[in-house]
Amino acid sequence: MASVSQASAAVTGTGTSASDLLRSSANGVSGVPLKSLGRSRLGLKRRDFSVASKLRKVKKHEYPWPDNPDPNVKGGVLFHLSPFKPLKEKQKPVTLDFERPLVQLEKKIIDVRKMADETGLDFSDQIISLETKYQQALKDLYTHLIPIQRVNIARHPNRPTFLDHVFNITEKFVELHGDRAGYDDPAIVTGIGTIDGQRYMFIGHQKGRNTKENIQRNFGMPTPHGYRKALRMMYYADHHGFPIVTFIDTPGAYADLKSEELGQGEAIAHNLRTMFGLKVPIVSIVMGEGGSGGALAIGCANKLLMLENAVFYVASPEACAAILWKSAKASPKAAEKLKITATELCKLQIADGIIPEPLGGAHADPSWTSQQIKNAINETMDELKKMNTEELLRHRMLKFRKIGGFQEGIPIEPKRKANMKKKEEPIAKGIIIDVELEGEVEKLKEQILNAKQSSTERPALGVNEMIQKLKKEVDHEYSEAVKATGLEGRLVNLQQEFSKANSQDQLIHPSLNEKIRKLTEDFNQALSAAPNYERLKNKLDMFLELSKAKSLSDRNNNAAALKLEVNTKFRDVLNRPDIKEKQEALMDEIRSSGVSTPGDLDDNLKKKISEFKKEIELELAGSLKLLGLDVGVVNTKAIDMSEEVSLFKPKIEELNKEINGRIKNALNSSDLRSKIELLKLEVAKAGKSPDLASKNRIAALEQQIKRSLAKAVDTPDLKEKHEKLHSEISSKVESSEGFDGTLKKENPEEYNPANDELREKIGANRTFA
């Protein structure tokens, strides 16, 4: 805007009116009346004015849709309308102070397991015992947290935010922006979403997941614009009859000078008054920290629910400690006296329920936490929807009227009076357990080191009992997972069908196999969302590892015992009187011949030595058969291949691998799989003495399966590779004795790569005359 400046000078004159002053001011000259301007020859030149404009660069939003929206994105297609996207990099793990001893202990247990694996000794059940005690210590720690520790968990930088939970619990969600007064506060997010087909208005504080997002979201501290946006959405939900769900996670309203100028207190007060008059059910969930009026501005609800490690306070523990004890170091004591945890607030009837969290806090398993929130919303809304409008309003009013209500002369309720008693100092349980467990870990580490250095004797452990116990626990966890995923009914029906088929001595029908396969796929897809998924995974890994170690140990023990028996039999054969007599006679004959090297022996003597060796081999083979070992004589000439032929072995293996892959793909196709299942049924029905019709049906099915397999490998590229390899080998070893240049083995039945696969799929090796 152009402006004219003038040196300060006293302008005198009479008859100067206020209107003259106003008009002169409007024209850009301040404090000089128009009449004076007319007398004073003030000239304005065009070159004294300049008009400039600058365009500010802003980020272009992809509204209403991006160029290539993914229709299968989690949260529905409307997810593309929200700027909230999954983080490109994984959040760095953050360890709180009270968690460090257990984290270090976990690392030590991992190191002990690695040391045990390196030694090759079996310490499995000691390690499993340590891990069990560690899990118990972890459980004890998180079930006996003191208030300041819960405050730290509620402020954890990796704790899931409002939008994380919303996108996990809703089928569709669209974010709504703006307070219709010129601003959109990113610290409060609003939008409409559906849970199990029911529409809700969602309003919540939104923190960031890293420093950049926290700055953008103002660390979850709303300005008056945010509360006015929330107020607009409340009116909208009330008009259309949408139940309201609010999520609270803020240290408090933003208390800067600009917010106070724009009416921060008035905006909060307006929200408080309005929420008590809304005619729809309201549920508030404290998912992190709820600070003062900034939390209460969207928290005047019919039901106030809190996550297990959430806190709700008038002043933060640090602020309270600074006021009362003049030092923020007294914040643990302040946190206890303020009664800000979910358990304490439920006792005081301020909160109406606690939503459980996994061990380690909501950030340890966000999906499971979101599922618990969804269940709590459904249960609470089902209860509130039974009330009419008048009952809803009265219910909301009475909830807040009874808070802190004490009058002289009226006895206090026994329950409330009990909650007012002075609480004993909390004991930080888990510290003693950690010390004892750490001692056990160090003791086991020393035991492993000693075993590695000196002892070769394996410790006698009840491995079999531990495997059986783990197997029962794994089966139990699988049963719980099936119940949690909602597949229990389908599993029971399939078990009944399977039992019925077995009772009638029938082979499983292809349709039943298909149902089992489909149920398995559905269960595997839904398993990761089960609440006990981590426990199941840990126990299953331990079971498999322990079983593998047991199998390896048994195999080594069996091999050592077998080796000892074989050596004993060999010595028994050599020590037999007749064998010993023949050996001495042969040695005398060799000494009498006077030869010094084996090459100087005559043919007759060589023949006698060869016959004696063969006799010993036959005797030893007969003795080994008594041990259940079938020993065959190896023909070295038959397996001897020239150096040239062995060069083609990798190419032959590669070609066989490709052929087997084609065959496996064909066998896994639905068409061929159904034919194989039908062939199984026909073979089972036919029994040992099939009639002519059964033989014809079986032969027809076998031909169809063979044609399908032949079609799978009868491709131009495979033919070309086979012919090329065949010609290379033929030209290379054309003169080799006993080799005709073909890739076939002596037994053509063994060469067919489809045979083993086909027999395995069909489950029958029966032939019919």
Side-chain angles (χ1 to χ4, degrees):
M1 182 177 183
S3 63
V4 178
S5 61
Q6 180 175 310
S8 59
V11 180
T12 60
T14 59
T16 303
S17 63
S19 61
D20 287 336
L21 287 172
L22 288 173
R23 283 196 296 273
S24 65
S25 180
N27 286 328
V29 181
S30 178
V32 182
L34 293 178
K35 292 179 181 179
S36 299
L37 282 175
R39 292 194 297 269
S40 65
R41 295 185 181 181
L42 181 61
L44 299 177
K45 297 181 181 180
R46 186 178 298 274
R47 66 173 176 271
D48 293 335
F49 292 91
S50 64
V51 178
S53 64
K54 186 178 180 180
L55 294 177
R56 182 168 60 92
K57 291 183 179 180
V58 294
K59 183 179 178 181
K60 182 181 178 183
H61 290 282
E62 294 180 331
Y63 290 114
W65 301 104
D67 294 333
N68 298 309
D70 181 6
N72 299 318
V73 70
K74 187 176 181 181
V77 182
L78 295 178
F79 172 78
H80 293 289
L81 292 180
S82 174
F84 184 84
K85 306 295 181 186
L87 290 174
K88 294 181 181 178
E89 66 279 348
K90 192 175 181 180
Q91 288 177 290
K92 294 181 180 179
V94 176
T95 304
L96 302 176
D97 289 339
F98 68 91
E99 294 176 320
R100 283 175 185 166
L102 276 180
V103 171
Q104 293 171 359
L105 191 60
E106 184 182 15
K107 290 179 181 178
K108 288 183 179 179
I109 292 176
I110 293 172
D111 292 340
V112 166
R113 181 178 284 277
K114 288 181 180 178
M115 290 173 61
D117 291 340
E118 290 173 0
T119 59
L121 302 178
D122 193 357
F123 291 92
S124 301
D125 69 336
Q126 285 107 321
I127 295 174
I128 291 172
S129 176
L130 286 177
E131 290 176 344
T132 304
K133 290 181 180 179
Y134 168 79
Q135 291 296 330
Q136 186 60 42
L138 187 68
K139 185 177 179 180
D140 290 341
L141 174 64
Y142 280 98
T143 51
H144 298 91
L145 292 172
I146 59 176
I148 193 62
Q149 291 172 341
R150 294 195 187 275
V151 172
N152 292 331
I153 294 176
R155 295 171 176 171
H156 199 285
N158 294 343
R159 195 169 177 86
T161 64
F162 163 60
L163 285 174
D164 286 317
H165 288 310
V166 165
F167 284 122
N168 279 338
I169 67 178
T170 58
E171 298 91 29
K172 295 179 181 179
F173 177 77
V174 57
E175 186 178 341
L176 303 176
H177 299 268
D179 62 348
R180 296 299 183 265
Y183 192 74
D184 179 35
D185 187 359
I188 280 191
V189 175
T190 60
I192 299 175
T194 60
I195 298 178
D196 297 336
Q198 172 65 49
R199 290 187 184 88
Y200 295 96
M201 173 63 72
F202 292 95
I203 302 170
H205 299 103
Q206 176 65 28
K207 288 184 176 180
R209 297 164 293 178
N210 50 37
T211 305
K212 181 180 178 181
E213 284 190 6
N214 269 317
I215 294 172
Q216 179 190 355
R217 301 282 182 180
N218 200 29
F219 293 85
M221 295 184 289
T223 62
H225 303 287
Y227 293 118
R228 288 172 183 138
K229 174 168 71 170
L231 181 66
R232 182 174 77 86
M233 298 308 166
M234 291 176 194
Y235 280 130
Y236 183 88
D238 191 46
H239 176 73
H240 292 282
F242 296 154
I244 299 173
V245 181
T246 66
F247 286 78
I248 298 171
D249 186 15
T250 180
Y254 195 46
D256 68 329
L257 180 61
K258 189 69 175 176
S259 295
E260 295 300 329
E261 290 176 352
L262 293 172
Q264 184 73 283
E266 182 271 341
I268 293 173
H270 198 173
N271 279 26
L272 297 179
R273 183 186 68 183
T274 303
M275 291 189 78
F276 281 103
L278 297 176
K279 300 174 183 178
V280 293
I282 306 174
V283 174
S284 291
I285 298 171
V286 185
M287 58 180 180
E289 55 178 338
S292 188
L296 200 60
I298 60 171
C300 297
N302 293 93
K303 293 280 187 179
L304 178 68
L305 307 177
M306 296 181 67
L307 286 179
E308 186 178 349
N309 294 314
V311 290
F312 198 46
Y313 49 72
V314 174
S316 66
E318 293 80 7
C320 178
I323 295 169
L324 297 181
W325 291 281
K326 310 301 181 186
S327 172
K329 292 182 179 179
S331 55
K333 186 176 180 181
E336 183 190 352
K337 300 299 182 184
L338 283 170
K339 310 294 184 187
I340 58 178
T341 61
T343 306
E344 295 291 345
L345 291 171
C346 281
K347 288 181 181 178
L348 295 171
Q349 299 180 14
I350 295 172
D352 299 294
I354 300 175
I355 301 174
E357 293 186 30
L359 291 180
H363 55 278
D365 194 346
S367 299
W368 187 83
T369 308
S370 298
Q371 186 63 36
Q372 301 308 307
I373 292 174
K374 179 180 178 180
N375 295 339
I377 291 173
N378 286 333
E379 291 175 8
T380 309
M381 283 297 180
D382 289 342
E383 178 185 348
L384 295 177
K385 286 174 186 175
K386 296 176 182 178
M387 303 180 187
N388 56 36
T389 303
E390 185 178 349
E391 290 173 339
L392 268 177
L393 295 174
R394 181 171 176 79
H395 178 275
R396 199 177 306 148
M397 182 268 294
L398 290 177
K399 170 180 169 53
F400 286 86
R401 289 289 290 175
K402 70 180 179 181
I403 293 176
F406 301 98
Q407 296 180 17
E408 289 186 26
I410 300 177
I412 301 173
E413 298 176 14
K415 183 178 180 182
R416 184 173 292 186
K417 189 173 182 179
N419 293 331
M420 292 172 63
K421 289 181 180 178
K422 185 177 180 180
K423 189 178 178 182
E424 296 179 358
E425 290 294 327
I427 299 173
K429 294 188 178 181
I431 298 175
I432 299 175
I433 298 174
D434 293 346
V435 173
E436 292 176 356
L437 189 55
E438 190 170 357
E440 290 187 25
V441 172
E442 294 297 334
K443 185 177 178 181
L444 180 58
K445 189 183 290 187
E446 291 179 6
Q447 185 180 352
I448 293 173
L449 287 173
N450 294 334
K452 184 177 181 180
Q453 292 172 0
S454 58
S455 176
T456 57
E457 184 179 355
R458 298 176 183 269
L461 305 172
V463 180
N464 293 329
E465 292 78 3
M466 185 61 68
I467 289 176
Q468 292 300 322
K469 184 179 178 181
L470 272 175
K471 185 176 184 301
K472 290 180 181 178
E473 291 189 12
V474 168
D475 292 341
H476 175 70
E477 294 294 345
Y478 266 119
S479 302
E480 293 297 322
V482 169
K483 292 178 183 177
T485 52
L487 300 174
E488 188 178 12
R490 289 173 58 186
L491 179 62
V492 171
N493 293 336
L494 276 178
Q495 286 175 340
Q496 292 175 353
E497 292 184 34
F498 190 79
S499 300
K500 186 178 179 181
N502 281 347
S503 64
Q504 298 176 358
D505 295 330
Q506 294 179 357
L507 210 60
I508 300 176
H509 197 272
S511 61
L512 185 57
N513 265 338
E514 185 66 23
K515 289 181 183 179
I516 295 172
R517 186 184 64 81
K518 185 70 170 63
L519 178 62
T520 305
E521 289 179 358
D522 293 345
F523 177 70
N524 289 335
Q525 289 177 358
L527 181 59
S528 58
N532 63 334
Y533 174 67
E534 290 299 328
R535 293 199 307 273
L536 172 60
K537 186 179 178 184
N538 292 335
K539 290 179 181 178
L540 186 60
D541 289 343
M542 286 191 289
F543 173 73
L544 294 176
E545 190 171 348
L546 194 57
S547 301
K548 184 179 178 182
K550 177 70 169 54
S551 175
L552 183 62
S553 175
D554 292 344
R555 190 160 59 247
N556 291 338
N557 293 337
N558 293 338
L562 185 62
K563 183 179 179 181
L564 182 63
E565 289 189 21
V566 169
N567 290 334
T568 303
K569 291 290 183 183
F570 186 69
R571 283 195 298 270
D572 291 344
V573 169
L574 290 180
N575 290 331
R576 273 174 44 186
D578 55 336
I579 297 292
K580 206 164 186 180
E581 184 179 350
K582 290 181 181 179
Q583 182 182 6
E584 290 176 356
L586 190 59
M587 292 297 294
D588 291 339
E589 191 173 350
I590 292 173
R591 282 193 291 269
S592 62
S593 64
V595 297
S596 57
T597 60
D600 296 335
L601 293 172
D602 58 3
D603 294 340
N604 187 28
L605 200 54
K606 286 181 179 179
K607 186 177 179 182
K608 289 182 179 180
I609 294 173
S610 177
E611 289 176 353
F612 179 68
K613 285 174 62 178
K614 188 176 292 185
E615 183 180 356
I616 292 176
E617 287 176 357
L618 292 174
E619 291 289 341
L620 183 60
S623 300
L624 292 178
K625 279 186 179 181
L626 299 176
L627 298 177
L629 299 175
D630 190 10
V631 182
V633 180
V634 179
N635 188 355
T636 55
K637 290 184 179 180
I639 62 171
D640 184 25
M641 292 184 68
S642 64
E643 214 174 290
E644 291 83 0
V645 175
S646 63
L647 294 175
F648 293 97
K649 189 176 181 180
K651 293 184 179 181
I652 295 172
E653 289 178 352
E654 184 180 354
L655 182 59
N656 283 336
K657 187 176 180 181
E658 188 173 353
I659 293 172
N660 290 335
R662 301 276 181 98
I663 292 171
K664 284 182 179 179
N665 291 337
L667 290 172
N668 289 330
S669 64
S670 58
D671 180 46
L672 193 56
R673 192 164 58 240
S674 62
K675 289 179 182 177
I676 292 172
E677 295 296 336
L678 288 175
L679 180 57
K680 286 183 180 180
L681 285 173
E682 289 294 337
V683 171
K685 289 178 183 177
K688 295 183 179 179
S689 55
D691 55 12
L692 183 60
S694 297
K695 288 182 181 180
N696 292 335
R697 285 196 298 270
I698 291 170
L701 284 170
E702 286 179 346
Q703 288 299 323
Q704 292 177 13
I705 293 170
K706 287 178 181 179
R707 281 196 295 269
S708 299
L709 292 175
K711 187 177 179 181
V713 297
D714 190 15
T715 57
D717 56 336
L718 280 180
K719 282 184 178 179
E720 184 180 353
K721 290 180 182 178
H722 180 271
E723 290 173 359
K724 183 179 179 181
L725 186 59
H726 182 275
S727 61
E728 288 179 6
I729 296 175
S730 299
S731 60
K732 192 74 177 177
V733 293
E734 191 175 6
S735 60
S736 296
E737 184 179 357
F739 190 79
D740 60 356
T742 64
L743 295 178
K744 295 183 181 178
K745 297 181 181 179
E746 291 182 6
N747 187 355
E749 190 70 22
E750 292 180 359
Y751 170 70
N752 187 358
N755 262 341
D756 293 337
E757 290 287 340
L758 186 58
R759 290 176 184 274
E760 183 182 348
K761 293 285 182 182
I762 296 175
N765 293 320
R766 187 179 293 122
T767 56
F768 302 101

